[in-house]
Amino acid sequence: MNKSLNVRIKDIVLRTPLITSSGTSGSRDEINLLVNRKSILESLGAFVTKGVTINESLGNKEPRIVEVRSGILNSIGLQNKGVKRFFEEDIPELRKFEIPIIVNISAGSVNEFGTLSAMIKDLDKNNTVSALEINVSCPNIKKGGAAFGADPRLVEQIVKEVKSSVQNTLCIITKLSPNVSDITQIAIAAIQGGTDALSMINTLRGMAIDTDRKKPILGNQVGGLSGPCIKPVGVYMVYECFKKIPECRNKKIPIIGIGGISNYFDVLEYILAGATATGIGTQWFINTAIFEEILKDMTDYLNNTNETIENLVGKAHNSF
Ligand SMILES: Cc1cc2nc3c(=O)[nH]c(=O)nc-3n(C[C@H](O)[C@H](O)[C@H](O)COP(=O)(O)O)c2cc1C
């Protein structure tokens, strides 16, 4: 493996800057697909799980996914089996991947975030989990989601609560919502709460209406927009945080850029804007060879240009 592809998120070494993005590759079938295709795993720096909650959640009413121009709207609603079954059934499978495992967590209150994180620390007997990614941004659940992600005070409290519940033993990543007026204010709050890294962006709130039936298509009516159409928003938000927040600029708090990545140039855009690593979601539904293809193109690019990832991070800011 080309050494220059290694990146670090706090103490975690990722052998490539490519990671899955939460909710888009977390089911058992997809896990098995990965196990059977070693080259996918070899392309990944880390695996991020679907959002886990304390109790099982059946998710939202169907239909839950609709294709729109250059993207999809989803309203899965955090369907998952609950943290205990997740540790019994999925973690032993994920352990076989032999790459860092990042568990995406979701909860309905600050206290619940603390309880869930403490349960994970307790259940993770073999130290399979490298990091927790706090979903303060999911726009699909009525109890929390969007409300947390838009309130800097709550974001700071959640991060503090999660950090103290795991007694600083796990890397904490805070995943930010784009459904805010100034993402840098939320990023600063997460840093004040003690986050070790930031990931951005989650889906943008959106809706599609069936013109024949004259009603919203999604069972939940509202959903989250992802895919190529959101990439300029994600790149902008990474750029803003890198530009305006000293801890991002000096790379003390690394950023994982997510949103609409479809090829290597999209990854490069995020890195130039200030991301250290990148998450890929919706494109994985279209092309299961996406990680291998991007890795090959990235390796060729680095070899042909004599560049390193480290040197490329935030380079788009140097021209001003
Ligand atoms: C079907 C689906 C389920 C998702 N579930 C989660 C989730 O459980 N937790 C979370 O933080 N983000 C979730 N996301 C958001 C993605 O991780 C990602 O931030 C977003 O889709 C943008 O990236 P993309 O354009 O590459 O898909 C989900 C996205 C999709 C499409």
Side-chain angles (χ1 to χ4, degrees), residues 75-219:
S75 63
I76 306 296
L78 294 174
Q79 180 185 9
N80 78 102
K81 53 183 78 167
V83 68
K84 285 201 182 123
R85 271 183 60 208
F86 170 75
F87 266 86
E88 279 161 24
E89 296 168 16
D90 291 4
I91 283 288
E93 295 297 318
L94 289 166
R95 199 173 161 70
K96 294 182 195 156
F97 287 11
E98 292 178 346
I99 56 173
I101 301 299
I102 301 173
V103 176
N104 182 279
I105 56 169
S106 207
S109 69
V110 175
N111 283 347
E112 239 183 62
F113 266 110
T115 307
L116 176 57
S117 315
M119 285 173 85
I120 290 174
K121 184 178 170 339
D122 207 43
L123 289 162
D124 190 24
K125 304 277 184 241
N126 295 316
N127 298 326
T128 306
V129 179
S130 297
L132 298 182
E133 182 180 56
I134 308 173
N135 178 10
V136 293
S137 42
C138 180
N140 296 328
I141 46 170
K142 292 186 183 87
K143 263 171 132 186
F148 287 137
D151 183 335
R153 209 176 38 92
L154 277 178
V155 169
E156 184 177 340
Q157 278 175 22
I158 292 169
V159 179
K160 273 193 182 138
E161 184 69 25
V162 170
K163 271 222 102 138
S164 74
S165 300
V166 299
Q167 293 153 13
N168 285 323
T169 53
L170 290 174
C171 169
I172 304 299
I173 303 164
T174 308
K175 182 165 180 185
L176 303 183
S177 169
N179 301 311
V180 294
S181 46
D182 181 358
I183 196 152
T184 62
Q185 294 307 310
I186 314 293
I188 290 167
I191 293 169
Q192 276 163 356
T195 201
D196 298 302
L198 297 165
S199 58
M200 64 191 77
I201 56 175
N202 209 312
T203 54
L204 280 146
R205 215 173 298 127
M207 187 179 215
I209 292 181
D210 182 329
T211 50
D212 289 332
R213 298 166 71 209
K214 301 183 178 58
K215 59 179 242 191
I217 297 177
L218 292 170

Side-chain angles (χ1 to χ4, degrees), residues 56-62 64 75-80 141:
E56 180 181 9
S57 161
L58 298 177
N60 287 329
K61 214 172 123 192
E62 291 183 344
R64 304 197 296 191
S75 63
I76 306 296
L78 294 174
Q79 180 185 9
N80 78 102
I141 46 170

Side-chain angles (χ1 to χ4, degrees), residues 215-251:
K215 59 179 242 191
I217 297 177
L218 292 170
N220 188 52
Q221 296 162 19
V222 178
L225 182 65
S226 63
C229 54
I230 72 166
K231 193 196 70 183
V233 181
V235 170
Y236 163 70
M237 290 189 165
V238 170
Y239 189 91
E240 279 291 285
C241 287
F242 192 88
K243 182 170 132 192
K244 295 193 176 149
I245 304 174
E247 292 89 340
C248 295
R249 187 89 189 208
N250 65 25
K251 301 177 190 169

